[in-house]
Amino acid sequence: MSMKLYYAPGTIALASHIALAEADADYQAIALDFAKNEQRGEAYLAINPKGRVPALVTERGILTETPAILTFIAQNFPAARLAPVDDAFAFAELQALMAYLSSTMHVATAHFRRAARWADQESSFADMRAKVPQNTRDCCRLIEAGYFDGPWVMGADYTIGDPYLFTLTGWLDRFEIDVNEFPKIAAHRQAMQARPAVRRALAEQAPA
């Protein structure tokens, strides 16, 4: 069975898309048009009641949430070596990174466009948007200092943490942050852009 990945361009779903390409998985990428609010349509809500992307339809059921999807891909395609699944400590370190990206960095960036999730007053929206660059820089500083023992975010080996970080740091220009403020993250971005799987996922998400 070919898996189906539901995504929208410019969203965190790119991380899962890249991982599927890295694993050489059999998948179909299905775009949702957020401008038409397709993520809130009856058809998609039947797939993911959260009304968000990504969602991955597998032969065993539907998975949502980026850390879960990435971990599934890594464990379901062990030959791709996308996670240190045989090393409990290293795998936990990778999970800790992805938990930080999910619960802290992604949430920090979401306050820029999704402030209505947390407040109702326009004045609150403006205040949250104003805080995004500082919070995002703080996340980048922590990652820059605490990871990158090797060329990849977890060290010498490429993992599912790399497309996750690549996707999030790809949004820095939205907040007028120069990626070159963070030399290791900037080098990581260049290395990622050279990978065939990244190029494939980006091409598949490009407008027709």
Side-chain angles (χ1 to χ4, degrees):
M1 172 185 172
S2 176
M3 291 182 286
K4 295 180 181 179
L5 176 72
Y6 288 86
Y7 76 93
T11 70
I12 200 64
L14 176 62
S16 298
H17 199 156
I18 292 171
L20 287 168
E22 292 280 6
D24 198 23
D26 181 10
Y27 71 90
Q28 179 185 2
I30 302 172
L32 297 176
D33 189 338
F34 277 18
K36 295 180 180 178
N37 214 29
E38 288 183 349
Q39 76 277 19
R40 295 292 179 184
E42 183 177 348
Y44 185 64
L45 289 177
I47 295 167
N48 183 4
K50 301 170 188 174
R52 299 183 187 181
V53 292
L56 183 67
V57 180
T58 78
E59 62 182 2
R60 293 186 60 184
I62 299 169
L63 292 171
T64 62
E65 303 298 335
T66 297
I69 293 172
L70 290 174
T71 301
F72 169 78
I73 294 168
Q75 292 183 316
N76 205 42
F77 297 92
R81 301 182 64 83
L82 294 174
V85 294
D86 296 327
D87 183 330
F89 186 82
F91 191 57
E93 285 187 311
L94 176 58
Q95 294 297 307
L97 167 69
M98 296 207 300
Y100 179 76
L101 295 179
S102 175
S103 66
T104 303
M105 189 169 184
H106 193 185
V107 173
T109 64
H111 282 76
F112 192 76
R113 292 182 175 176
R114 314 290 185 200
R117 291 178 182 171
W118 296 280
D120 295 317
Q121 301 300 319
E122 182 60 39
S123 59
S124 299
F125 299 166
D127 196 26
M128 281 189 274
R129 284 193 295 268
K131 189 74 172 178
V132 168
Q134 177 186 330
N135 288 341
T136 303
R137 280 189 172 94
D138 288 345
C139 292
C140 289
R141 290 189 187 102
L142 186 147
I143 292 166
E144 183 96 350
Y147 295 92
F148 291 111
D149 291 333
W152 304 112
V153 66
M154 292 302 297
D157 296 324
Y158 182 93
T159 69
I160 48 177
D162 291 293
Y164 205 171
L165 180 66
F166 173 76
T167 300
L168 285 168
T169 56
W171 302 343
L172 294 182
D173 60 342
R174 297 180 183 178
F175 320 127
E176 299 183 352
I177 299 174
D178 184 352
V179 69
N180 293 307
E181 293 180 29
F182 309 100
K184 294 178 182 178
I185 290 176
H188 179 262
R189 169 152 290 277
Q190 289 186 334
M192 287 293 293
Q193 289 171 333
R195 294 183 71 88
V198 175
R199 293 179 176 177
R200 175 184 170 184
L202 289 171
E204 288 175 351
Q205 291 201 8

